[in-house]
Amino acid sequence: MNTPPKPAPDASPLPASNASLPRVDSGQILQGANTVEIEHAGQRYLLRVTRENKLILTK
């Protein structure tokens, strides 16, 4: 039996225009490192740059 895919839980809609969003250059966050720790709500996350120069955020 095939069931339709479930929608993403509590997905927030994107704003109509990205012009109102704050923008931070990744270089300001990484400061020359390939990995940085980010603390959010008492949890630590790692933001890292891959070999393909993409960003990955993990808990």
Side-chain angles (χ1 to χ4, degrees), residues 2 6-7 9 12-13 15 20-22 31 35 39 43 46 51 53:
N2 290 338
K6 295 180 182 178
S12 6
S20 63
L21 294 176
Q31 299 178 7
T35 305
E39 189 167 329
Q43 299 289 316
L46 290 178
R51 282 181 249 165
N53 203 33

Side-chain angles (χ1 to χ4, degrees), residues 36-58:
V36 294
E37 283 187 356
I38 298 173
E39 189 167 329
H40 175 71
Q43 299 289 316
R44 290 212 175 156
Y45 295 84
L46 290 178
L47 178 67
R48 65 183 178 91
V49 181
T50 68
R51 282 181 249 165
E52 293 81 29
N53 203 33
K54 298 189 186 265
L55 295 175
I56 296 183
L57 181 65
T58 56

